[in-house]
PDB file of all heavy atoms in Angstrom:
ATOM      1  N   ASN A 185       9.709  29.904   1.957  1.00 41.00           N
ATOM      2  CA  ASN A 185       9.451  31.300   2.237  1.00 41.00           C
ATOM      3  C   ASN A 185       8.306  31.397   3.223  1.00 41.00           C
ATOM      4  O   ASN A 185       7.195  30.945   2.956  1.00 41.00           O
ATOM      5  CB  ASN A 185       9.085  32.048   0.957  1.00 41.00           C
ATOM      6  CG  ASN A 185      10.232  32.026  -0.038  1.00 41.00           C
ATOM      7  OD1 ASN A 185      11.380  32.204   0.352  1.00 41.00           O
ATOM      8  ND2 ASN A 185       9.921  31.788  -1.301  1.00 41.00           N
ATOM      9  N   ASP A 193      -1.749  36.182  13.385  1.00 38.00           N
ATOM     10  CA  ASP A 193      -1.840  35.111  12.390  1.00 38.00           C
ATOM     11  C   ASP A 193      -0.623  34.209  12.462  1.00 38.00           C
ATOM     12  O   ASP A 193      -0.717  32.995  12.290  1.00 38.00           O
ATOM     13  CB  ASP A 193      -1.954  35.698  10.980  1.00 38.00           C
ATOM     14  CG  ASP A 193      -3.250  36.441  10.781  1.00 38.00           C
ATOM     15  OD1 ASP A 193      -4.198  36.128  11.535  1.00 38.00           O
ATOM     16  OD2 ASP A 193      -3.319  37.321   9.905  1.00 38.00           O
ATOM     17  N   ALA A 211      -5.058  24.616  11.289  1.00 43.00           N
ATOM     18  CA  ALA A 211      -4.882  23.189  11.526  1.00 43.00           C
ATOM     19  C   ALA A 211      -5.039  22.879  13.000  1.00 43.00           C
ATOM     20  O   ALA A 211      -4.796  23.724  13.850  1.00 43.00           O
ATOM     21  CB  ALA A 211      -3.502  22.757  11.060  1.00 43.00           C
ATOM     22  N   LEU A 238       7.524  36.327  -7.856  1.00 72.00           N
ATOM     23  CA  LEU A 238       6.375  35.429  -7.696  1.00 72.00           C
ATOM     24  C   LEU A 238       6.522  34.194  -8.562  1.00 72.00           C
ATOM     25  O   LEU A 238       6.252  33.065  -8.131  1.00 72.00           O
ATOM     26  CB  LEU A 238       5.079  36.163  -8.048  1.00 72.00           C
ATOM     27  CG  LEU A 238       4.638  37.268  -7.083  1.00 72.00           C
ATOM     28  CD1 LEU A 238       3.404  37.969  -7.627  1.00 72.00           C
ATOM     29  CD2 LEU A 238       4.356  36.694  -5.711  1.00 72.00           C
ATOM     30  N   ARG A 242       6.911  30.434  -7.287  1.00 73.00           N
ATOM     31  CA  ARG A 242       5.931  29.427  -7.708  1.00 73.00           C
ATOM     32  C   ARG A 242       6.624  28.230  -8.352  1.00 73.00           C
ATOM     33  O   ARG A 242       6.272  27.081  -8.093  1.00 73.00           O
ATOM     34  CB  ARG A 242       4.943  30.056  -8.676  1.00 73.00           C
ATOM     35  CG  ARG A 242       3.797  29.129  -9.056  1.00 73.00           C
ATOM     36  CD  ARG A 242       2.723  29.877  -9.807  1.00 73.00           C
ATOM     37  NE  ARG A 242       2.160  30.948  -8.996  1.00 73.00           N
ATOM     38  CZ  ARG A 242       1.275  31.821  -9.448  1.00 73.00           C
ATOM     39  NH1 ARG A 242       0.878  31.772 -10.697  1.00 73.00           N
ATOM     40  NH2 ARG A 242       0.806  32.762  -8.646  1.00 73.00           N
ATOM     41  N   ALA A 353     -14.078   1.901 -15.203  1.00 59.00           N
ATOM     42  CA  ALA A 353     -14.986   2.307 -14.129  1.00 59.00           C
ATOM     43  C   ALA A 353     -14.842   3.799 -13.860  1.00 59.00           C
ATOM     44  O   ALA A 353     -13.786   4.382 -14.058  1.00 59.00           O
ATOM     45  CB  ALA A 353     -14.686   1.515 -12.855  1.00 59.00           C
ATOM     46  N   TYR A 423      -0.890  11.276  -5.665  1.00 96.00           N
ATOM     47  CA  TYR A 423      -0.290  10.183  -4.909  1.00 96.00           C
ATOM     48  C   TYR A 423      -1.258   9.002  -4.789  1.00 96.00           C
ATOM     49  O   TYR A 423      -0.861   7.845  -4.884  1.00 96.00           O
ATOM     50  CB  TYR A 423       0.107  10.669  -3.519  1.00 96.00           C
ATOM     51  CG  TYR A 423       0.753   9.604  -2.665  1.00 96.00           C
ATOM     52  CD1 TYR A 423       2.076   9.235  -2.864  1.00 96.00           C
ATOM     53  CD2 TYR A 423       0.023   8.968  -1.659  1.00 96.00           C
ATOM     54  CE1 TYR A 423       2.666   8.253  -2.073  1.00 96.00           C
ATOM     55  CE2 TYR A 423       0.607   7.995  -0.872  1.00 96.00           C
ATOM     56  CZ  TYR A 423       1.928   7.639  -1.084  1.00 96.00           C
ATOM     57  OH  TYR A 423       2.497   6.664  -0.308  1.00 96.00           O
ATOM     58  N   ARG A 439      -2.995 -12.723  -5.051  1.00 87.00           N
ATOM     59  CA  ARG A 439      -3.996 -13.692  -5.498  1.00 87.00           C
ATOM     60  C   ARG A 439      -3.348 -14.866  -6.220  1.00 87.00           C
ATOM     61  O   ARG A 439      -3.774 -16.017  -6.058  1.00 87.00           O
ATOM     62  CB  ARG A 439      -5.005 -12.996  -6.412  1.00 87.00           C
ATOM     63  CG  ARG A 439      -5.978 -12.088  -5.678  1.00 87.00           C
ATOM     64  CD  ARG A 439      -6.906 -11.377  -6.636  1.00 87.00           C
ATOM     65  NE  ARG A 439      -7.943 -10.627  -5.946  1.00 87.00           N
ATOM     66  CZ  ARG A 439      -8.869  -9.893  -6.555  1.00 87.00           C
ATOM     67  NH1 ARG A 439      -8.866  -9.801  -7.879  1.00 87.00           N
ATOM     68  NH2 ARG A 439      -9.780  -9.241  -5.849  1.00 87.00           N
ATOM     69  N   VAL A 528      10.475 -49.453  -5.530  1.00 92.00           N
ATOM     70  CA  VAL A 528       9.546 -48.329  -5.692  1.00 92.00           C
ATOM     71  C   VAL A 528      10.259 -47.123  -6.289  1.00 92.00           C
ATOM     72  O   VAL A 528       9.781 -46.496  -7.247  1.00 92.00           O
ATOM     73  CB  VAL A 528       8.915 -47.967  -4.330  1.00 92.00           C
ATOM     74  CG1 VAL A 528       8.091 -46.684  -4.446  1.00 92.00           C
ATOM     75  CG2 VAL A 528       8.032 -49.098  -3.823  1.00 92.00           C
ATOM     76  N   THR A 620      17.080 -22.309   6.827  1.00 88.00           N
ATOM     77  CA  THR A 620      17.818 -21.781   7.961  1.00 88.00           C
ATOM     78  C   THR A 620      18.869 -20.770   7.513  1.00 88.00           C
ATOM     79  O   THR A 620      19.322 -19.942   8.314  1.00 88.00           O
ATOM     80  CB  THR A 620      18.509 -22.910   8.738  1.00 88.00           C
ATOM     81  OG1 THR A 620      19.479 -23.547   7.888  1.00 88.00           O
ATOM     82  CG2 THR A 620      17.491 -23.939   9.215  1.00 88.00           C
ATOM     83  N   VAL A 666       9.554 -14.027   1.002  1.00 55.00           N
ATOM     84  CA  VAL A 666      10.926 -14.399   0.665  1.00 55.00           C
ATOM     85  C   VAL A 666      10.907 -15.608  -0.249  1.00 55.00           C
ATOM     86  O   VAL A 666      10.299 -16.635   0.067  1.00 55.00           O
ATOM     87  CB  VAL A 666      11.740 -14.697   1.942  1.00 55.00           C
ATOM     88  CG1 VAL A 666      13.137 -15.177   1.590  1.00 55.00           C
ATOM     89  CG2 VAL A 666      11.803 -13.464   2.816  1.00 55.00           C
TER      90      VAL A 666
END
Side-chain angles (χ1 to χ4, degrees):
N185 298 318
D193 294 337
L238 291 176
R242 186 170 299 175
Y423 181 77
R439 286 177 173 179
V528 172
T620 63
V666 176

